[in-house]
Amino acid sequence: MLNIICPISASDTSPSRIIVNTTDLVQELSFFTSEYNQNKIFQTKSCPSCTGKAITLLVGQVFSKERLILLDSPITYCLDEQCLYLSKDDLTVAQERCRHLSSDDWMLLPQQVNLDKSTTSSIGIVEMMVSDRIRQTLQSHNGQLFYSPKLNALSSSSTIDSLPSHLLPDGVAFHTNELPSVMRLKFEPTTRCNFKCEFCYGRYLVQGDLTFEDFVAILERLPFVKALELTGEGEPLLNSHLYEMLQIASDRGLWTHITTNASLLTEDRCRKLLSTGLDSLGISMESFVPEQFEKIRIGSKYDKVIQGIRTIAQVREERNKPLRLELWVTLLKETLSQVDDIVEFANSVGIDSVQFQSLNTMDAYSRFYPSELQQNILSLSDMKQIVDDSATLPALQTALTDIISWYQGKRCDIFMQSIMVNWQGMVTPCCFLKTPDFPAFGNINLDTFESIWNREDYRFFRFALQHGVVLNNCHGCPSVAAA
């Protein structure tokens, strides 16, 4: 969330840069000065002023008089001089964006944050970024703010259609490192699975289940959690306490979700799940060709999975429960021709949403992929080429366009909306970052979450990623692929 605004100082006379007053950011910026933290950064650049080592941060450029903030604008931090400034190149990027301003681009932002929507839609993500201080800076009337997706900008006016090319920002806005009042908990119920997929990260982790006692105790310690996903690197239905966990969460008013491979969705289990008040259920697949599916997912039976999907949909209809059903499909080169059939199947059984994704190419995941699977991965250039082909069918074009949009991310703040706790209580900022390969920030069974949240390594991680500084552990993640 943008909540720290630093004024621009005119004290520096260098024509190549405009100094930013960093009084409110001394501690966060000091994290970058340690060699230990610098070694975590995937890529640095040469400082355009002193030719030393520097990084680019993505911030909001504030134009107070015009009541406008350009989001995700570049700013340079020189690691050698420990100085934050706007270079000529940084200003040129912002000025080029302003050339495309139009009064037709603005849409009204909701004033109330909806947790579920805010974690799944671009407009919701922007909504989560707006603090009271930003509203005050933009002199928002009645709290109203407008957002331009095309410009990626916030304003309290919907009529802005131009800015003078020579105009300079009078401040820059940074994201807060403070603990949000509302978060989503991704809690791993088990790492065990009834499938033995070679490519799955979970098959190489210590196998075990979250205990019911730990679940209750940890939930008690996280009163700010308003949504719960019982999902991780295993099949959640293998945890014998899953139904009790979901029931407790629902009784507390939490939105609940699980992701399953659907093979264990018998009628009895489906009824039990629905009786807990479960809000959302996701099903993950790679192929809708039986032989191909069973080859990818070793130990699976395609017909059993399809029957499981049909059963949960039928039981939901019979019991008239508002359970949202989602189908998550990982597209490969050899499964592109199946997209139309997948969408048709989903519609026929009553799936509410079909989400297509590409295979995770982060180093921590791809090291487990067999060579045949490696060759089957869709690259960003592959997807763009298919989308640009006029012969591509509409359903496939839409699916790939959605995946491509995910790859446009330049910074990440998912950890400001959710936390990941594995079955042993280890806390990481993202479900893609697994212990022991990624050092956990603490164990919620032993420490308070506040003490974990305020650790220096956790604070550095949040500040870096929120401002577009990609760390080695996150390299290859689509959320920061365009950084």
Side-chain angles (χ1 to χ4, degrees):
M1 177 182 287
L2 291 170
N3 197 36
I4 302 169
I5 299 179
C6 296
I8 286 177
S9 169
S11 60
D12 189 89
T13 57
S14 170
S16 64
R17 62 183 188 175
I18 301 172
I19 301 297
V20 176
N21 187 326
T22 59
T23 303
D24 294 333
L25 285 172
V26 171
Q27 198 162 24
E28 268 70 19
L29 290 174
S30 69
F31 296 153
F32 291 110
T33 62
S34 86
E35 185 176 352
Y36 177 73
N37 283 335
Q38 287 181 23
N39 289 334
K40 296 179 182 179
I41 299 173
F42 177 67
Q43 189 172 28
T44 59
K45 67 178 184 179
S46 176
C47 177
S49 178
C50 71
T51 69
K53 190 183 295 184
I55 56 174
T56 296
L57 302 176
L58 298 180
V59 299
Q61 288 192 17
V62 181
F63 301 84
S64 300
K65 185 179 179 181
E66 290 72 25
R67 297 185 295 171
L68 175 76
I69 295 181
L70 293 179
L71 302 175
D72 298 344
S73 298
I75 192 170
T76 298
Y77 183 64
C78 177
L79 301 177
D80 290 357
E81 294 185 346
Q82 298 179 29
C83 174
L84 189 68
Y85 64 90
L86 286 164
S87 69
K88 279 188 175 180
D89 289 343
D90 297 335
L91 291 169
T92 299
V93 171
Q95 289 166 353
E96 184 62 31
R97 283 168 62 184
C98 290
R99 295 179 189 274
H100 305 290
L101 266 173
S102 169
S103 58
D104 297 330
D105 294 337
W106 299 98
M107 61 177 68
L108 182 65
L109 274 181
Q111 294 190 41
Q112 296 296 320
V113 173
N114 180 304
L115 179 66
D116 183 40
K117 176 169 68 63
S118 294
T119 53
T120 56
S121 68
S122 59
I123 190 71
I125 295 298
V126 174
E127 187 183 335
M128 294 286 283
M129 292 169 59
V130 180
S131 65
D132 290 339
R133 186 170 183 186
I134 294 299
R135 294 183 187 277
Q136 293 167 5
T137 300
L138 294 177
Q139 305 169 45
S140 172
H141 179 65
N142 294 328
Q144 285 191 343
L145 282 183
F146 298 86
Y147 174 66
S148 167
K150 182 178 179 181
L151 185 62
N152 194 18
L154 287 171
S155 176
S156 55
S157 171
S158 61
T159 59
I160 297 178
D161 57 10
S162 65
L163 284 177
S165 60
H166 64 276
L167 190 65
L168 297 177
D170 49 70
V172 292
F174 293 85
H175 297 276
T176 182
N177 231 342
E178 297 174 1
L179 177 63
S181 58
V182 175
M183 292 191 82
R184 174 181 302 217
L185 171 61
K186 295 187 177 183
F187 212 163
E188 184 173 63
T190 182
T191 48
R192 295 186 301 120
C193 187
N194 55 325
F195 292 174
K196 307 300 178 187
C197 310
E198 287 182 320
F199 67 90
C200 179
Y201 199 147
R203 298 315 98 234
Y204 304 91
L205 295 173
V206 175
Q207 303 295 283
D209 293 351
L210 170 66
T211 68
F212 180 70
E213 293 74 21
D214 282 350
F215 171 80
V216 174
I218 291 172
L219 205 59
E220 287 282 354
R221 304 180 80 176
L222 303 173
F224 50 83
V225 166
K226 303 302 179 185
L228 172 70
E229 294 185 26
L230 282 171
T231 184
E233 289 297 329
E235 170 51 52
L237 285 164
L238 290 180
N239 188 312
S240 60
H241 296 291
L242 179 69
Y243 309 108
E244 298 166 84
M245 294 173 181
L246 289 170
Q247 188 65 63
I248 286 178
S250 294
D251 290 345
R252 296 187 183 200
L254 273 60
W255 177 91
T256 55
H257 169 91
I258 66 168
T259 299
T260 174
N261 61 33
S263 66
L264 301 178
L265 288 177
T266 62
E267 184 172 336
D268 180 59
R269 291 192 179 106
C270 290
R271 293 185 185 281
K272 285 182 178 179
L273 286 172
L274 286 165
S275 69
T276 68
L278 181 65
D279 293 289
S280 172
L281 183 143
I283 299 153
S284 59
M285 297 186 73
E286 286 79 29
S287 172
F288 275 70
V289 173
E291 298 79 10
Q292 192 176 54
F293 178 86
E294 292 174 7
K295 180 180 178 182
I296 295 172
R297 296 209 162 191
I298 299 172
S300 67
K301 294 294 181 183
Y302 176 81
D303 291 342
K304 196 172 182 180
V305 170
I306 295 299
Q307 184 55 49
I309 297 173
R310 294 186 185 278
T311 300
I312 188 67
Q314 290 168 358
V315 173
R316 177 188 63 170
E317 184 176 357
E318 291 169 7
R319 302 192 67 173
N320 194 27
K321 292 286 186 178
L323 172 66
R324 178 176 175 80
L325 295 177
E326 299 179 346
L327 186 60
W328 286 84
V329 182
T330 301
L331 283 180
L332 303 168
K333 289 179 180 178
E334 63 183 17
T335 62
L336 292 173
S337 61
Q338 302 173 27
V339 169
D340 279 308
D341 292 337
I342 292 169
V343 173
E344 183 178 346
F345 167 79
N347 291 335
S348 71
V349 299
I351 298 292
D352 298 297
S353 171
V354 181
Q355 301 288 335
F356 292 97
Q357 60 190 5
S358 57
L359 201 60
N360 194 322
T361 54
M362 293 171 68
D363 292 342
Y365 284 77
S366 60
R367 60 185 169 152
F368 298 126
Y369 299 162
S371 57
E372 185 177 350
L373 188 60
Q374 291 269 11
Q375 296 167 9
N376 218 338
I377 296 174
L378 280 165
S379 68
L380 185 58
S381 60
D382 290 334
M383 291 185 282
K384 287 181 177 179
Q385 186 175 355
I386 296 168
V387 168
D388 292 339
D389 188 342
S390 59
T392 301
L393 295 175
L396 177 57
Q397 195 163 49
T398 299
L400 293 179
T401 299
D402 288 344
I403 298 175
I404 290 170
S405 67
W406 188 20
Y407 278 83
Q408 305 311 305
K410 294 185 177 181
R411 62 177 201 86
C412 179
D413 60 3
I414 189 66
F415 40 81
M416 298 300 292
Q417 305 157 33
S418 66
I419 55 174
M420 179 71 201
V421 179
N422 79 353
W423 66 278
Q424 297 165 309
M426 307 299 283
V427 177
T428 58
C430 170
C431 61
F432 288 163
L433 300 174
K434 313 290 184 185
T435 58
D437 293 307
F438 181 88
F441 291 134
N443 191 311
I444 195 65
N445 289 310
L446 305 175
D447 307 301
T448 65
F449 186 71
E450 288 74 14
S451 66
I452 293 173
W453 181 264
N454 289 315
R455 283 174 48 143
E456 181 176 320
D457 52 358
Y458 203 169
R459 291 177 62 193
F460 169 72
F461 181 95
R462 296 195 304 270
F463 189 81
L465 267 294
Q466 280 193 99
H467 294 93
V469 180
V470 180
L471 303 182
N472 293 325
N473 291 109
C474 301
H475 175 58
C477 178
S479 296
V480 290

